[in-house]
Amino acid sequence: MRGTVIKRGKSWAVVVDVGRDPFTGRRVRRWHSGYATKRAAERARTEVLSRLDHGTYVEPDRRALGPYLEVDWLPAMRACVRASTWDSYARNIRLHIVPALGGVALQALTPARLNEFYAGLLQDGRTDGRGGLAPKTVRYLHGILRKALADAVRWNLVQRNVADQADAPSRAGAADMMTWTAEELGRFLDFVVDDRFYGAWVLAATTGLRRGEVLGLRWSDVDLDSGRLAVRQTLVSVAYETKFSTPKTKRGRRSVSLDATTVMALRSHRKRQLEDRMAWGSAYQDSGLVVTRENGVLVHPDRFTQMFDKQVKNSGLPRIRLHDLRHTHATLALAAGVHPKVVSERLGHATVAFTLDVYSHAVPALQEEAADRVAALIFRRAR
């Protein structure tokens, strides 16, 4: 038999012949150690030989998860994903994954170990020591691990992707987002009416554009006469350096209608920008962007978020994130009876199903309205 079971001290090992070295022609044997009983080792030998016969055998490798992610996987991903995505991968691996799991052998990682990791993140995962991470953040980390381990399977470093059997936190939109009511959103816009970025706040609130889409919008992408804008580029931050990019998906490149109030706010915003240009003269840097600083220079995305947070705090309204303006727009639109397909198109979602999955929890009245309408049709016909 090609495999032998051998006792080594208090444990058992399996030694298998995996063929000849292509360069030296010598027989190559691999050791699989650490089995508590002879029976366990014999079962392992049967499995290893089966994998050899089916071409799915993976040689023992003591490489730890941390070195695999940082030395092997991240460099390979540079050419495969956007710079902003790669930076996010690297930052989250450095901050969350490596400190907790970096020393675990890649081949020793188990679904149970990942579940324990996720539970720890939810309870006490923030790097500032102020509690746990949001379920959405933990799901994102799970996604990174799942992709990295899928590549490890493809590269024949592990036999299976244990992240597929792990239990990431379930999607719970209500727990991951905070939204304002229509009245609260109106109060916020009244509060910032004299802010030089009032047009940007209105734009974000009434269109549901993402932060990078607002900051990447050019006047050449806006037609105020017809009341429409086109999302063609975004402004992103990669390791705090700004970079223009294009929407990730085909649906992300979209046309969005503007209401009359938003058009009026943008006209006022453009007028102020032209006044700034006159005041600065030759020192003005014409970027062509809708949202700029007084001298025409672009606004850093992180700075834009900080300005929003400060305005919310000063307004006395419930604290929400800048991205929650997008959630607020979608929730209000659905509650107002706007067709989910239209909402999905305005947001640039990949599918209507995704839109409903994220936001339907926030508008239970839709279920009640559907029940009433169907019942009205049935019982009206019955009379």
mmCIF file of all heavy atoms in Angstrom, residues 189-232:
data_model
loop_
_atom_site.group_PDB
_atom_site.id
_atom_site.type_symbol
_atom_site.label_atom_id
_atom_site.label_comp_id
_atom_site.label_asym_id
_atom_site.label_seq_id
_atom_site.Cartn_x
_atom_site.Cartn_y
_atom_site.Cartn_z
ATOM 1 N N LEU A 189 -31.967 70.026 6.376
ATOM 2 C CA LEU A 189 -31.714 70.887 5.222
ATOM 3 C C LEU A 189 -32.013 72.347 5.557
ATOM 4 O O LEU A 189 -31.345 73.259 5.045
ATOM 5 C CB LEU A 189 -32.541 70.417 4.027
ATOM 6 C CG LEU A 189 -32.130 69.038 3.465
ATOM 7 C CD1 LEU A 189 -33.040 68.631 2.314
ATOM 8 C CD2 LEU A 189 -30.667 69.039 3.016
ATOM 9 N N ASP A 190 -32.992 72.587 6.405
ATOM 10 C CA ASP A 190 -33.248 73.957 6.862
ATOM 11 C C ASP A 190 -32.066 74.469 7.697
ATOM 12 O O ASP A 190 -31.683 75.642 7.601
ATOM 13 C CB ASP A 190 -34.525 74.016 7.708
ATOM 14 C CG ASP A 190 -35.792 73.885 6.872
ATOM 15 O OD1 ASP A 190 -35.708 74.097 5.643
ATOM 16 O OD2 ASP A 190 -36.847 73.565 7.440
ATOM 17 N N PHE A 191 -31.479 73.575 8.494
ATOM 18 C CA PHE A 191 -30.375 73.968 9.369
ATOM 19 C C PHE A 191 -29.126 74.347 8.563
ATOM 20 O O PHE A 191 -28.379 75.252 8.954
ATOM 21 C CB PHE A 191 -30.048 72.825 10.335
ATOM 22 C CG PHE A 191 -28.923 73.121 11.275
ATOM 23 C CD1 PHE A 191 -29.132 73.899 12.403
ATOM 24 C CD2 PHE A 191 -27.644 72.630 11.033
ATOM 25 C CE1 PHE A 191 -28.088 74.199 13.276
ATOM 26 C CE2 PHE A 191 -26.599 72.917 11.901
ATOM 27 C CZ PHE A 191 -26.822 73.705 13.033
ATOM 28 N N VAL A 192 -28.877 73.662 7.442
ATOM 29 C CA VAL A 192 -27.655 73.897 6.666
ATOM 30 C C VAL A 192 -27.893 74.801 5.465
ATOM 31 O O VAL A 192 -27.050 74.895 4.584
ATOM 32 C CB VAL A 192 -27.047 72.556 6.181
ATOM 33 C CG1 VAL A 192 -26.624 71.703 7.354
ATOM 34 C CG2 VAL A 192 -28.040 71.792 5.290
ATOM 35 N N VAL A 193 -29.019 75.500 5.437
ATOM 36 C CA VAL A 193 -29.375 76.280 4.251
ATOM 37 C C VAL A 193 -28.337 77.347 3.924
ATOM 38 O O VAL A 193 -28.163 77.722 2.751
ATOM 39 C CB VAL A 193 -30.775 76.920 4.434
ATOM 40 C CG1 VAL A 193 -30.752 77.998 5.511
ATOM 41 C CG2 VAL A 193 -31.304 77.461 3.110
ATOM 42 N N ASP A 194 -27.613 77.843 4.935
ATOM 43 C CA ASP A 194 -26.604 78.880 4.689
ATOM 44 C C ASP A 194 -25.199 78.310 4.531
ATOM 45 O O ASP A 194 -24.241 79.066 4.340
ATOM 46 C CB ASP A 194 -26.619 79.901 5.836
ATOM 47 C CG ASP A 194 -27.925 80.693 5.894
ATOM 48 O OD1 ASP A 194 -28.482 80.971 4.815
ATOM 49 O OD2 ASP A 194 -28.382 81.006 7.006
ATOM 50 N N ASP A 195 -25.055 76.999 4.613
ATOM 51 C CA ASP A 195 -23.752 76.374 4.452
ATOM 52 C C ASP A 195 -23.339 76.412 2.989
ATOM 53 O O ASP A 195 -24.183 76.264 2.086
ATOM 54 C CB ASP A 195 -23.834 74.908 4.931
ATOM 55 C CG ASP A 195 -22.480 74.231 4.934
ATOM 56 O OD1 ASP A 195 -21.755 74.403 5.918
ATOM 57 O OD2 ASP A 195 -22.146 73.554 3.942
ATOM 58 N N ARG A 196 -22.054 76.619 2.723
ATOM 59 C CA ARG A 196 -21.617 76.710 1.332
ATOM 60 C C ARG A 196 -21.803 75.389 0.586
ATOM 61 O O ARG A 196 -21.807 75.357 -0.642
ATOM 62 C CB ARG A 196 -20.162 77.171 1.232
ATOM 63 C CG ARG A 196 -19.128 76.218 1.763
ATOM 64 C CD ARG A 196 -17.702 76.693 1.402
ATOM 65 N NE ARG A 196 -17.419 76.507 -0.016
ATOM 66 C CZ ARG A 196 -17.426 77.459 -0.924
ATOM 67 N NH1 ARG A 196 -17.722 78.691 -0.603
ATOM 68 N NH2 ARG A 196 -17.142 77.197 -2.193
ATOM 69 N N PHE A 197 -21.957 74.305 1.325
ATOM 70 C CA PHE A 197 -22.180 73.006 0.697
ATOM 71 C C PHE A 197 -23.653 72.593 0.740
ATOM 72 O O PHE A 197 -23.975 71.416 0.584
ATOM 73 C CB PHE A 197 -21.321 71.936 1.371
ATOM 74 C CG PHE A 197 -19.847 72.125 1.138
ATOM 75 C CD1 PHE A 197 -19.053 72.706 2.110
ATOM 76 C CD2 PHE A 197 -19.269 71.752 -0.068
ATOM 77 C CE1 PHE A 197 -17.699 72.901 1.888
ATOM 78 C CE2 PHE A 197 -17.919 71.941 -0.293
ATOM 79 C CZ PHE A 197 -17.127 72.523 0.687
ATOM 80 N N TYR A 198 -24.525 73.554 0.918
ATOM 81 C CA TYR A 198 -25.964 73.257 0.970
ATOM 82 C C TYR A 198 -26.410 72.493 -0.273
ATOM 83 O O TYR A 198 -27.167 71.510 -0.186
ATOM 84 C CB TYR A 198 -26.756 74.556 1.096
ATOM 85 C CG TYR A 198 -28.254 74.381 0.985
ATOM 86 C CD1 TYR A 198 -28.981 73.763 2.002
ATOM 87 C CD2 TYR A 198 -28.949 74.847 -0.136
ATOM 88 C CE1 TYR A 198 -30.357 73.600 1.912
ATOM 89 C CE2 TYR A 198 -30.316 74.687 -0.247
ATOM 90 C CZ TYR A 198 -31.021 74.060 0.786
ATOM 91 O OH TYR A 198 -32.383 73.900 0.682
ATOM 92 N N GLY A 199 -25.945 72.901 -1.458
ATOM 93 C CA GLY A 199 -26.325 72.219 -2.689
ATOM 94 C C GLY A 199 -25.908 70.763 -2.678
ATOM 95 O O GLY A 199 -26.626 69.889 -3.182
ATOM 96 N N ALA A 200 -24.745 70.474 -2.075
ATOM 97 C CA ALA A 200 -24.270 69.088 -2.004
ATOM 98 C C ALA A 200 -25.131 68.272 -1.055
ATOM 99 O O ALA A 200 -25.444 67.106 -1.332
ATOM 100 C CB ALA A 200 -22.812 69.068 -1.542
ATOM 101 N N TRP A 201 -25.521 68.865 0.070
ATOM 102 C CA TRP A 201 -26.379 68.138 1.018
ATOM 103 C C TRP A 201 -27.744 67.849 0.397
ATOM 104 O O TRP A 201 -28.288 66.752 0.556
ATOM 105 C CB TRP A 201 -26.556 68.928 2.309
ATOM 106 C CG TRP A 201 -25.287 69.364 2.981
ATOM 107 C CD1 TRP A 201 -25.011 70.598 3.497
ATOM 108 C CD2 TRP A 201 -24.100 68.583 3.232
ATOM 109 N NE1 TRP A 201 -23.755 70.644 4.040
ATOM 110 C CE2 TRP A 201 -23.170 69.404 3.898
ATOM 111 C CE3 TRP A 201 -23.744 67.274 2.954
ATOM 112 C CZ2 TRP A 201 -21.909 68.968 4.288
ATOM 113 C CZ3 TRP A 201 -22.478 66.828 3.333
ATOM 114 C CH2 TRP A 201 -21.585 67.653 3.990
ATOM 115 N N VAL A 202 -28.293 68.823 -0.315
ATOM 116 C CA VAL A 202 -29.577 68.609 -0.986
ATOM 117 C C VAL A 202 -29.447 67.525 -2.047
ATOM 118 O O VAL A 202 -30.292 66.633 -2.161
ATOM 119 C CB VAL A 202 -30.078 69.920 -1.626
ATOM 120 C CG1 VAL A 202 -31.306 69.661 -2.515
ATOM 121 C CG2 VAL A 202 -30.437 70.944 -0.548
ATOM 122 N N LEU A 203 -28.377 67.583 -2.811
ATOM 123 C CA LEU A 203 -28.151 66.601 -3.879
ATOM 124 C C LEU A 203 -28.086 65.191 -3.313
ATOM 125 O O LEU A 203 -28.724 64.264 -3.841
ATOM 126 C CB LEU A 203 -26.851 66.934 -4.608
ATOM 127 C CG LEU A 203 -26.497 66.058 -5.813
ATOM 128 C CD1 LEU A 203 -27.509 66.241 -6.930
ATOM 129 C CD2 LEU A 203 -25.094 66.402 -6.311
ATOM 130 N N ALA A 204 -27.338 65.013 -2.237
ATOM 131 C CA ALA A 204 -27.217 63.684 -1.626
ATOM 132 C C ALA A 204 -28.556 63.200 -1.082
ATOM 133 O O ALA A 204 -28.906 62.026 -1.206
ATOM 134 C CB ALA A 204 -26.178 63.721 -0.512
ATOM 135 N N ALA A 205 -29.327 64.136 -0.497
ATOM 136 C CA ALA A 205 -30.590 63.757 0.137
ATOM 137 C C ALA A 205 -31.674 63.408 -0.870
ATOM 138 O O ALA A 205 -32.490 62.509 -0.627
ATOM 139 C CB ALA A 205 -31.074 64.894 1.037
ATOM 140 N N THR A 206 -31.697 64.078 -2.003
ATOM 141 C CA THR A 206 -32.814 63.896 -2.946
ATOM 142 C C THR A 206 -32.514 62.949 -4.094
ATOM 143 O O THR A 206 -33.411 62.631 -4.878
ATOM 144 C CB THR A 206 -33.238 65.255 -3.543
ATOM 145 O OG1 THR A 206 -32.129 65.831 -4.259
ATOM 146 C CG2 THR A 206 -33.694 66.218 -2.449
ATOM 147 N N THR A 207 -31.266 62.492 -4.199
ATOM 148 C CA THR A 207 -30.924 61.559 -5.285
ATOM 149 C C THR A 207 -30.441 60.209 -4.770
ATOM 150 O O THR A 207 -30.455 59.231 -5.514
ATOM 151 C CB THR A 207 -29.816 62.141 -6.182
ATOM 152 O OG1 THR A 207 -28.634 62.338 -5.398
ATOM 153 C CG2 THR A 207 -30.255 63.470 -6.805
ATOM 154 N N GLY A 208 -29.971 60.148 -3.523
ATOM 155 C CA GLY A 208 -29.419 58.900 -3.014
ATOM 156 C C GLY A 208 -28.048 58.579 -3.577
ATOM 157 O O GLY A 208 -27.589 57.440 -3.486
ATOM 158 N N LEU A 209 -27.363 59.578 -4.155
ATOM 159 C CA LEU A 209 -26.017 59.328 -4.677
ATOM 160 C C LEU A 209 -25.068 58.963 -3.537
ATOM 161 O O LEU A 209 -25.193 59.431 -2.416
ATOM 162 C CB LEU A 209 -25.476 60.568 -5.390
ATOM 163 C CG LEU A 209 -26.155 61.022 -6.678
ATOM 164 C CD1 LEU A 209 -25.387 62.199 -7.279
ATOM 165 C CD2 LEU A 209 -26.256 59.896 -7.694
ATOM 166 N N ARG A 210 -24.104 58.123 -3.854
ATOM 167 C CA ARG A 210 -23.057 57.788 -2.894
ATOM 168 C C ARG A 210 -22.122 58.980 -2.720
ATOM 169 O O ARG A 210 -22.074 59.882 -3.557
ATOM 170 C CB ARG A 210 -22.256 56.578 -3.379
ATOM 171 C CG ARG A 210 -23.077 55.311 -3.579
ATOM 172 C CD ARG A 210 -22.224 54.214 -4.191
ATOM 173 N NE ARG A 210 -22.945 52.960 -4.359
ATOM 174 C CZ ARG A 210 -23.670 52.636 -5.425
ATOM 175 N NH1 ARG A 210 -23.756 53.499 -6.453
ATOM 176 N NH2 ARG A 210 -24.298 51.482 -5.501
ATOM 177 N N ARG A 211 -21.353 58.955 -1.642
ATOM 178 C CA ARG A 211 -20.419 60.052 -1.366
ATOM 179 C C ARG A 211 -19.487 60.305 -2.542
ATOM 180 O O ARG A 211 -19.337 61.451 -2.998
ATOM 181 C CB ARG A 211 -19.595 59.730 -0.112
ATOM 182 C CG ARG A 211 -18.566 60.783 0.240
ATOM 183 C CD ARG A 211 -17.744 60.390 1.466
ATOM 184 N NE ARG A 211 -16.844 59.274 1.187
ATOM 185 C CZ ARG A 211 -15.927 58.823 2.048
ATOM 186 N NH1 ARG A 211 -15.829 59.385 3.245
ATOM 187 N NH2 ARG A 211 -15.135 57.810 1.741
ATOM 188 N N GLY A 212 -18.869 59.238 -3.044
ATOM 189 C CA GLY A 212 -17.933 59.407 -4.150
ATOM 190 C C GLY A 212 -18.592 59.896 -5.418
ATOM 191 O O GLY A 212 -17.957 60.579 -6.234
ATOM 192 N N GLU A 213 -19.873 59.569 -5.596
ATOM 193 C CA GLU A 213 -20.599 60.019 -6.781
ATOM 194 C C GLU A 213 -20.926 61.500 -6.695
ATOM 195 O O GLU A 213 -20.867 62.214 -7.698
ATOM 196 C CB GLU A 213 -21.877 59.188 -6.941
ATOM 197 C CG GLU A 213 -21.600 57.726 -7.259
ATOM 198 C CD GLU A 213 -22.832 56.840 -7.197
ATOM 199 O OE1 GLU A 213 -23.850 57.271 -6.612
ATOM 200 O OE2 GLU A 213 -22.790 55.708 -7.723
ATOM 201 N N VAL A 214 -21.265 61.969 -5.495
ATOM 202 C CA VAL A 214 -21.511 63.403 -5.305
ATOM 203 C C VAL A 214 -20.239 64.198 -5.559
ATOM 204 O O VAL A 214 -20.235 65.195 -6.283
ATOM 205 C CB VAL A 214 -22.035 63.685 -3.880
ATOM 206 C CG1 VAL A 214 -22.092 65.187 -3.608
ATOM 207 C CG2 VAL A 214 -23.411 63.069 -3.676
ATOM 208 N N LEU A 215 -19.127 63.729 -4.983
ATOM 209 C CA LEU A 215 -17.868 64.466 -5.088
ATOM 210 C C LEU A 215 -17.221 64.337 -6.464
ATOM 211 O O LEU A 215 -16.407 65.175 -6.848
ATOM 212 C CB LEU A 215 -16.899 63.978 -4.004
ATOM 213 C CG LEU A 215 -17.363 64.214 -2.560
ATOM 214 C CD1 LEU A 215 -16.350 63.641 -1.577
ATOM 215 C CD2 LEU A 215 -17.587 65.692 -2.296
ATOM 216 N N GLY A 216 -17.561 63.293 -7.197
ATOM 217 C CA GLY A 216 -17.000 63.116 -8.536
ATOM 218 C C GLY A 216 -17.844 63.730 -9.637
ATOM 219 O O GLY A 216 -17.435 63.742 -10.810
ATOM 220 N N LEU A 217 -19.006 64.262 -9.280
ATOM 221 C CA LEU A 217 -19.922 64.819 -10.283
ATOM 222 C C LEU A 217 -19.348 66.096 -10.884
ATOM 223 O O LEU A 217 -18.884 66.997 -10.180
ATOM 224 C CB LEU A 217 -21.272 65.120 -9.617
ATOM 225 C CG LEU A 217 -22.418 65.507 -10.554
ATOM 226 C CD1 LEU A 217 -22.827 64.332 -11.427
ATOM 227 C CD2 LEU A 217 -23.614 66.015 -9.728
ATOM 228 N N ARG A 218 -19.388 66.189 -12.219
ATOM 229 C CA ARG A 218 -18.927 67.377 -12.929
ATOM 230 C C ARG A 218 -20.125 68.143 -13.475
ATOM 231 O O ARG A 218 -21.185 67.569 -13.721
ATOM 232 C CB ARG A 218 -18.007 66.971 -14.092
ATOM 233 C CG ARG A 218 -16.746 66.240 -13.666
ATOM 234 C CD ARG A 218 -16.091 65.508 -14.802
ATOM 235 N NE ARG A 218 -16.953 64.412 -15.288
ATOM 236 C CZ ARG A 218 -16.542 63.411 -16.043
ATOM 237 N NH1 ARG A 218 -15.270 63.362 -16.416
ATOM 238 N NH2 ARG A 218 -17.367 62.478 -16.437
ATOM 239 N N TRP A 219 -19.930 69.442 -13.683
ATOM 240 C CA TRP A 219 -21.017 70.228 -14.272
ATOM 241 C C TRP A 219 -21.359 69.724 -15.672
ATOM 242 O O TRP A 219 -22.508 69.836 -16.100
ATOM 243 C CB TRP A 219 -20.629 71.707 -14.328
ATOM 244 C CG TRP A 219 -20.671 72.381 -12.991
ATOM 245 C CD1 TRP A 219 -19.626 72.893 -12.286
ATOM 246 C CD2 TRP A 219 -21.844 72.591 -12.183
ATOM 247 N NE1 TRP A 219 -20.058 73.407 -11.089
ATOM 248 C CE2 TRP A 219 -21.415 73.245 -11.002
ATOM 249 C CE3 TRP A 219 -23.192 72.298 -12.334
ATOM 250 C CZ2 TRP A 219 -22.299 73.612 -9.988
ATOM 251 C CZ3 TRP A 219 -24.073 72.663 -11.320
ATOM 252 C CH2 TRP A 219 -23.640 73.304 -10.170
ATOM 253 N N SER A 220 -20.384 69.143 -16.352
ATOM 254 C CA SER A 220 -20.656 68.586 -17.679
ATOM 255 C C SER A 220 -21.557 67.363 -17.608
ATOM 256 O O SER A 220 -22.109 66.923 -18.626
ATOM 257 C CB SER A 220 -19.344 68.214 -18.381
ATOM 258 O OG SER A 220 -18.617 67.252 -17.618
ATOM 259 N N ASP A 221 -21.713 66.789 -16.400
ATOM 260 C CA ASP A 221 -22.599 65.633 -16.214
ATOM 261 C C ASP A 221 -24.011 66.049 -15.801
ATOM 262 O O ASP A 221 -24.877 65.194 -15.619
ATOM 263 C CB ASP A 221 -22.038 64.702 -15.128
ATOM 264 C CG ASP A 221 -20.653 64.167 -15.480
ATOM 265 O OD1 ASP A 221 -20.426 63.907 -16.670
ATOM 266 O OD2 ASP A 221 -19.827 64.024 -14.562
ATOM 267 N N VAL A 222 -24.215 67.365 -15.624
ATOM 268 C CA VAL A 222 -25.487 67.867 -15.110
ATOM 269 C C VAL A 222 -26.174 68.725 -16.156
ATOM 270 O O VAL A 222 -25.564 69.612 -16.744
ATOM 271 C CB VAL A 222 -25.268 68.695 -13.819
ATOM 272 C CG1 VAL A 222 -26.605 69.184 -13.262
ATOM 273 C CG2 VAL A 222 -24.527 67.881 -12.772
ATOM 274 N N ASP A 223 -27.463 68.464 -16.373
ATOM 275 C CA ASP A 223 -28.285 69.286 -17.268
ATOM 276 C C ASP A 223 -29.414 69.875 -16.422
ATOM 277 O O ASP A 223 -30.437 69.231 -16.194
ATOM 278 C CB ASP A 223 -28.852 68.429 -18.410
ATOM 279 C CG ASP A 223 -29.583 69.266 -19.457
ATOM 280 O OD1 ASP A 223 -29.985 70.404 -19.135
ATOM 281 O OD2 ASP A 223 -29.785 68.762 -20.582
ATOM 282 N N LEU A 224 -29.209 71.089 -15.959
ATOM 283 C CA LEU A 224 -30.204 71.712 -15.083
ATOM 284 C C LEU A 224 -31.477 72.081 -15.829
ATOM 285 O O LEU A 224 -32.559 72.136 -15.230
ATOM 286 C CB LEU A 224 -29.604 72.952 -14.414
ATOM 287 C CG LEU A 224 -28.448 72.680 -13.436
ATOM 288 C CD1 LEU A 224 -27.896 73.983 -12.879
ATOM 289 C CD2 LEU A 224 -28.905 71.769 -12.312
ATOM 290 N N ASP A 225 -31.364 72.336 -17.116
ATOM 291 C CA ASP A 225 -32.565 72.691 -17.891
ATOM 292 C C ASP A 225 -33.533 71.515 -17.985
ATOM 293 O O ASP A 225 -34.753 71.687 -17.877
ATOM 294 C CB ASP A 225 -32.171 73.166 -19.296
ATOM 295 C CG ASP A 225 -31.421 74.493 -19.267
ATOM 296 O OD1 ASP A 225 -31.688 75.287 -18.335
ATOM 297 O OD2 ASP A 225 -30.577 74.711 -20.152
ATOM 298 N N SER A 226 -33.002 70.322 -18.189
ATOM 299 C CA SER A 226 -33.866 69.146 -18.285
ATOM 300 C C SER A 226 -34.044 68.451 -16.939
ATOM 301 O O SER A 226 -34.851 67.531 -16.804
ATOM 302 C CB SER A 226 -33.290 68.143 -19.297
ATOM 303 O OG SER A 226 -32.039 67.657 -18.855
ATOM 304 N N GLY A 227 -33.284 68.897 -15.940
ATOM 305 C CA GLY A 227 -33.405 68.309 -14.617
ATOM 306 C C GLY A 227 -32.896 66.883 -14.538
ATOM 307 O O GLY A 227 -33.556 66.003 -13.977
ATOM 308 N N ARG A 228 -31.684 66.646 -15.053
ATOM 309 C CA ARG A 228 -31.101 65.304 -15.007
ATOM 310 C C ARG A 228 -29.598 65.412 -14.792
ATOM 311 O O ARG A 228 -28.966 66.411 -15.154
ATOM 312 C CB ARG A 228 -31.362 64.525 -16.306
ATOM 313 C CG ARG A 228 -32.819 64.277 -16.607
ATOM 314 C CD ARG A 228 -32.993 63.296 -17.768
ATOM 315 N NE ARG A 228 -32.651 61.943 -17.366
ATOM 316 C CZ ARG A 228 -33.495 61.123 -16.743
ATOM 317 N NH1 ARG A 228 -34.711 61.531 -16.423
ATOM 318 N NH2 ARG A 228 -33.119 59.898 -16.432
ATOM 319 N N LEU A 229 -29.040 64.365 -14.222
ATOM 320 C CA LEU A 229 -27.594 64.259 -14.103
ATOM 321 C C LEU A 229 -27.188 62.846 -14.497
ATOM 322 O O LEU A 229 -27.989 61.918 -14.442
ATOM 323 C CB LEU A 229 -27.114 64.588 -12.691
ATOM 324 C CG LEU A 229 -27.542 63.695 -11.518
ATOM 325 C CD1 LEU A 229 -26.677 62.430 -11.400
ATOM 326 C CD2 LEU A 229 -27.459 64.466 -10.217
ATOM 327 N N ALA A 230 -25.925 62.697 -14.894
ATOM 328 C CA ALA A 230 -25.392 61.390 -15.274
ATOM 329 C C ALA A 230 -24.251 61.040 -14.332
ATOM 330 O O ALA A 230 -23.350 61.861 -14.097
ATOM 331 C CB ALA A 230 -24.902 61.407 -16.716
ATOM 332 N N VAL A 231 -24.288 59.848 -13.772
ATOM 333 C CA VAL A 231 -23.207 59.366 -12.907
ATOM 334 C C VAL A 231 -22.187 58.673 -13.797
ATOM 335 O O VAL A 231 -22.443 57.575 -14.312
ATOM 336 C CB VAL A 231 -23.740 58.405 -11.828
ATOM 337 C CG1 VAL A 231 -22.584 57.890 -10.963
ATOM 338 C CG2 VAL A 231 -24.786 59.085 -10.966
ATOM 339 N N ARG A 232 -21.044 59.320 -13.990
ATOM 340 C CA ARG A 232 -20.021 58.778 -14.885
ATOM 341 C C ARG A 232 -18.681 58.557 -14.195
ATOM 342 O O ARG A 232 -17.853 57.795 -14.684
ATOM 343 C CB ARG A 232 -19.813 59.715 -16.078
ATOM 344 C CG ARG A 232 -21.029 59.863 -16.993
ATOM 345 C CD ARG A 232 -20.650 60.518 -18.308
ATOM 346 N NE ARG A 232 -21.785 60.655 -19.203
ATOM 347 C CZ ARG A 232 -22.490 61.774 -19.375
ATOM 348 N NH1 ARG A 232 -22.153 62.860 -18.690
ATOM 349 N NH2 ARG A 232 -23.501 61.826 -20.210
#
